[in-house]
Amino acid sequence: MRQWVRFLSVGFLLAAALAFGALQASYRSKPTDRVIRDVGEALRTIETYYSGEWSSDAVLKWAIVDMLLSLDPHSNFLDERAYQRMMEEQRGSFYGIGVSINSIQGVLTVIMPIPGTPAAKAGLRAGDVIAEIDGEPTKGQPLDDLIRKLRGPKNTEVRLTIVRQGYEAPFSVTLVRDEIPLVSVVNAFVTPDGIGYLRVRNFAERTYEEIRSHLEEFQKAGLKGLVLDLRDNPGGLLEEAVRVADLFLPPGLTIVTVRGRGIGRVVEYKSEQEDPYETLPLIVLTNRGTASASEIVAGAIQDHDRGLIVGETTWGKGLVQTLYPLSFNTAVAITTARYYTPSGRLIQRSYASFFEYSFPQVQSSPLTPGSPDRPQFQTDLGRFVTGGGGIQPDVAVESFRDPEVLQAIEQEFYRRVAPVNGLPYLEFARFFAPVEKADEERQHRSTRQLLSPDFQVDDALLTRFQDFLRQREIPFDETAFRRDREVIRQVLRRELIERLWGESEGYRYFLTFDPQFKKAQEVIPKARQMWSQRLQALKKKEVSS
């Protein structure tokens, strides 16, 4: 397989050389050679006749992307930047200052500092404008170039000039670059009732250690049950998913079976170690964004009746990719196997239509039961589950969605201002500051309004938000705004908390009115009863054997 991948990359390099007259050679008359010759002639034709500007590198990269997409939706080409990002995600760290940034109308803007990083310790806040990096203006510069300037070797310095809404003048701050951890567990706490909550954003090299560490802390608080939130978790490393599932399963149970091409290419992963969390009542939250490695965990939990799946049907990705590095720090991800849940399910959704596969929410509700002709399987206790279209929840609950009037407002910002998610709230939050920063605000003669962590969105704050929209000339349905004002209060408070006190705090407040999390807490007793029944069956099997 590796040789085949290399052959394809060499083929495209030869085609590029043909296009620019750098290669003069004859090819044997084979279909592959004819296709390569067609590519070369097409490139020469573009070079000769195309009226606009073009890049041969960009054209060839898209040719490789389309070639791989013709295989399946998940085989892909990673250019140097994408490959670097993937490796950082899997390693779980990079070197820099620890800040999420974006370009808004050519202005480099802080979206969110990462907690505990140099950026957060230096006091950078959501909405800050980074006007200069080491004395060089940032306005209008390519975002990738600016990201490279902010990153660099550990213990090196970078000086930023910051413009902050409401401050009398810009100010400078010098940061020392450090290793920036990309944690997998982004929320972790125990409710007053003893229910632990873990929100896992991906499966990287340290995901298992992070989860285990949090569980050890939870036990000190008298843990009575666990909600494992895998919503919008796109997956990651297969091995980490197996290790996480192993935390909750007794030894000897199948977690996933991976079947590759050719005879003997079958690997069965089983739970191996004993853990104190194997009897803990367990709920797994899922939605359409739950995919790949996340579905491996959810599938193992469901098939062994270890816990209940609450929420919406998952994405349905049962293909396994292997990453093959190429020359010049690029790579291709090729589908090399399929995985099957313990009951034998292949949960891969059909990708006959690329549009339907990419936008499943347009085609059907994530709560709609699967087609009756989907293959049927049984869990250990005999419950029926289906394959071929994601993992359906045991308890279906629709995701919370912002009112349509707020969705329309965000779309207007996206279209008129910049394609940045959550932009209306980021812009509005610039006019506020945490009350804990009162001294700093006074020092800079700030005009921003101070808010305490327990602030409420009263009528005055709602009116101010509407005035802000009018000043920005963003149209909105005022009748719908009045009708949905109570839900809008919740959403606006969530968004302001996130910008002023961090994403983790904003999401924790969101959980107070999240219907899926509420249902998860309600059905903990049902999950406990089901797993108790399954454990009794396992003990009887051990005695009889």
Side-chain angles (χ1 to χ4, degrees):
M1 181 66 73
R2 187 184 298 268
Q3 292 176 343
W4 180 66
V5 170
R6 286 178 177 169
F7 169 74
L8 287 175
S9 64
V10 170
F12 276 95
L13 289 174
L14 291 176
L18 272 173
F20 296 100
L23 178 67
Q24 298 294 329
S26 60
Y27 293 88
R28 289 174 296 171
S29 180
K30 295 193 302 183
T32 301
D33 296 333
R34 290 199 296 269
V35 171
I36 292 175
R37 188 180 295 276
D38 284 343
V39 172
E41 291 178 358
L43 285 169
R44 282 200 302 272
T45 303
I46 293 172
E47 183 183 28
T48 303
Y49 298 109
Y50 184 66
S51 62
E53 294 183 359
W54 70 289
S55 162
S56 58
D57 285 350
V59 168
L60 284 171
K61 283 179 182 178
W62 277 109
I64 299 173
V65 169
D66 286 345
M67 172 184 67
L68 294 171
L69 282 177
S70 72
L71 303 176
D72 63 74
H74 298 289
S75 292
N76 197 13
F77 172 74
L78 288 80
D79 62 19
E80 186 173 0
R81 179 68 185 136
Y83 185 34
Q84 180 185 1
R85 281 198 300 265
M86 172 176 279
M87 298 310 294
E88 288 172 352
E89 283 283 333
Q90 291 185 354
R91 285 196 307 267
S93 69
F94 65 92
Y95 292 107
I97 64 171
V99 66
S100 172
I101 56 175
N102 211 325
S103 179
I104 299 177
Q105 295 183 321
V107 176
L108 186 62
T109 305
V110 173
I111 304 300
M112 192 75 63
I114 300 174
T117 63
K121 293 174 182 177
L124 295 191
R125 306 183 201 172
D128 283 350
V129 171
I130 302 177
E132 295 180 351
I133 300 175
D134 287 330
E136 297 182 3
T138 60
K139 188 171 183 179
Q141 298 301 309
L143 182 60
D144 282 349
D145 291 349
L146 297 174
I147 291 174
R148 279 192 288 269
K149 289 181 179 180
L150 291 175
R151 295 188 177 188
K154 185 176 181 178
N155 295 327
T156 57
E157 291 186 349
V158 59
R159 183 168 56 86
L160 308 180
T161 300
I162 304 297
V163 176
R164 181 172 292 168
Q165 175 73 37
Y167 274 29
E168 190 175 47
F171 62 95
S172 295
V173 59
T174 298
L175 294 82
V176 179
R177 296 181 179 94
D178 200 353
E179 183 176 9
I180 308 302
L182 298 174
V183 297
S184 293
V185 180
V186 290
N187 283 85
F189 62 87
V190 179
T191 70
D193 296 330
I195 304 302
Y197 172 83
L198 291 174
R199 179 181 167 214
V200 185
R201 71 177 184 92
N202 67 354
F203 287 89
E205 288 182 1
R206 295 199 287 250
T207 303
Y208 166 81
E209 282 81 3
E210 287 182 39
I211 291 177
R212 189 178 188 91
S213 176
H214 284 297
L215 288 174
E216 290 172 356
E217 290 299 315
F218 286 178
Q219 280 198 311
K220 298 175 184 177
L223 191 61
K224 298 178 182 177
L226 180 69
V227 176
L228 184 65
D229 192 345
L230 300 182
R231 292 176 294 183
D232 297 315
N233 183 324
L237 299 177
L238 168 67
E239 293 79 6
E240 287 298 295
V242 169
R243 296 181 74 194
V244 169
D246 196 350
L247 277 170
F248 306 107
L249 295 170
L253 297 182
T254 298
I255 294 174
V256 64
T257 301
V258 179
R259 298 177 183 173
R261 180 179 177 181
I263 300 174
R265 295 289 185 90
V266 178
V267 179
E268 184 179 13
Y269 294 88
K270 290 191 173 186
S271 53
E272 297 177 350
Q273 60 188 32
E274 292 186 1
D275 289 288
Y277 318 110
E278 293 169 4
T279 59
L280 192 68
L282 179 63
I283 303 294
V284 179
L285 291 177
T286 64
N287 64 5
R288 276 297 196 195
T290 304
S292 193
S294 297
E295 292 174 291
I296 288 175
V297 175
I301 297 303
Q302 187 177 57
D303 283 3
H304 289 305
D305 302 294
R306 175 61 186 86
L308 291 173
I309 310 300
V310 174
E312 299 171 322
T313 301
T314 62
W315 180 270
K317 178 182 180 293
L319 305 181
V320 180
Q321 284 71 49
T322 301
L323 197 65
Y324 295 96
L326 304 178
S327 303
F328 308 110
N329 297 316
T330 59
V332 288
I334 301 291
T335 296
T336 54
R338 287 169 167 77
Y339 72 77
Y340 296 78
T341 70
S343 66
R345 288 186 286 170
L346 173 65
I347 54 90
Q348 176 63 45
R349 194 157 40 85
S350 171
Y351 47 84
S353 166
F354 185 78
F355 176 80
E356 291 182 10
Y357 186 75
S358 301
F359 302 98
Q361 64 275 15
V362 176
Q363 305 303 319
S364 63
S365 166
L367 301 180
T368 303
S371 170
D373 59 356
R374 282 173 56 180
Q376 298 283 317
F377 299 83
Q378 286 184 297
T379 69
D380 292 348
L381 288 175
R383 297 185 301 138
F384 284 99
V385 290
T386 59
I391 293 174
Q392 292 179 251
D394 301 306
V395 182
V397 183
E398 192 170 6
S399 293
F400 175 86
R401 286 174 174 78
D402 290 354
E404 290 184 3
V405 61
L406 291 184
Q407 294 181 40
I409 289 169
E410 186 156 359
Q411 289 169 6
E412 285 296 320
F413 266 88
Y414 199 93
R415 183 174 64 87
R416 294 170 178 239
V417 183
V420 177
N421 291 331
L423 186 55
Y425 311 112
L426 178 70
E427 295 282 288
F428 185 58
R430 294 176 192 261
F431 298 99
F432 303 92
V435 69
E436 310 92 87
K437 303 292 184 180
D439 291 343
E440 182 182 338
E441 295 292 310
R442 282 192 293 269
Q443 179 184 347
H444 289 274
R445 302 178 185 273
S446 172
T447 60
R448 306 205 301 180
Q449 179 181 340
L450 297 176
L451 294 178
S452 62
D454 61 351
F455 80 96
Q456 298 299 317
V457 179
D458 55 17
D459 289 345
L461 193 52
L462 272 184
T463 300
R464 185 170 180 181
F465 182 61
Q466 290 175 296
D467 291 341
F468 158 76
L469 296 173
R470 296 186 187 103
Q471 290 167 3
R472 295 300 302 267
E473 298 182 347
I474 301 295
F476 64 95
D477 186 335
E478 300 203 24
T479 300
F481 197 100
R482 286 193 298 271
R483 182 191 65 224
D484 297 329
R485 63 191 299 112
E486 295 310 313
V487 181
I488 292 173
R489 292 183 201 274
Q490 293 178 314
V491 174
L492 190 55
R493 185 165 190 265
R494 175 195 71 195
E495 297 292 341
L496 287 175
I497 290 175
E498 180 174 320
R499 270 70 187 186
L500 299 182
W501 289 279
E503 180 186 6
S504 178
E505 291 302 315
Y507 201 85
R508 185 162 181 173
Y509 169 67
F510 162 69
L511 291 174
T512 63
F513 58 90
D514 172 22
Q516 293 177 338
F517 181 60
K518 286 186 174 182
K519 177 59 69 173
Q521 295 177 87
E522 289 177 16
V523 298
I524 283 279
K526 184 178 178 181
R528 179 186 293 110
Q529 181 181 15
M530 182 178 68
W531 182 233
S532 176
Q533 183 181 351
R534 176 68 182 115
L535 283 176
Q536 290 176 6
L538 282 173
K539 290 178 181 178
K540 289 181 180 179
K541 183 177 180 180
E542 290 175 359
V543 171
S544 62
S545 60

